[in-house]
Amino acid sequence: MKHRTQLLLDDHHYAFLKREAQLRRCSISSALRSLLQEKMETMARNTAPEDDPVFEIAGKYASGHTDTAEKAEEILYGSPK
């Protein structure tokens, strides 16, 4: 099902879409849908955990603890008082 919508675009956005439509040999609406689909596919590929920048530092640092799982709270927060 398709939904009709109306957009207000700045001149530079409209000019970009118009050029893109000409290059793709399609309507502005079709070009916009294609660009949106491409962005959605890119985002879907980038949601894998290994693509998360946080994972770049995973495993880089060692605490020296070999029993981290068993003593996680003690290691993180200190010994209970």
Side-chain angles (χ1 to χ4, degrees), residues 3 9 17 24 26 28 35 41 46 49-50 54 57 61-62:
H3 299 272
L9 300 172
L17 280 174
R24 294 172 185 244
C26 64
I28 290 175
L35 289 166
E41 290 169 3
N46 291 337
E50 59 273 5
V54 170
I57 62 168
Y61 306 97

Side-chain angles (χ1 to χ4, degrees), residues 10-78:
D10 293 330
D11 288 340
H12 66 283
H13 292 140
Y14 180 77
F16 172 82
L17 280 174
K18 190 172 179 182
R19 278 192 311 273
E20 193 66 25
Q22 289 170 342
L23 290 171
R24 294 172 185 244
R25 298 181 186 268
C26 64
S27 67
I28 290 175
S29 295
S30 181
L32 183 57
R33 285 191 299 270
S34 294
L35 289 166
L36 181 59
Q37 184 63 37
E38 291 166 14
K39 179 63 175 179
M40 289 170 62
E41 290 169 3
T42 299
M43 290 178 70
R45 283 192 305 272
N46 291 337
T47 57
E50 59 273 5
D51 291 338
D52 190 326
V54 170
F55 282 85
E56 290 179 21
I57 62 168
K60 278 190 171 181
Y61 306 97
S63 66
H65 296 281
T66 57
D67 54 357
T68 304
E70 294 84 15
K71 296 184 176 180
E73 289 189 15
E74 183 180 331
I75 293 168
L76 292 171
Y77 306 112

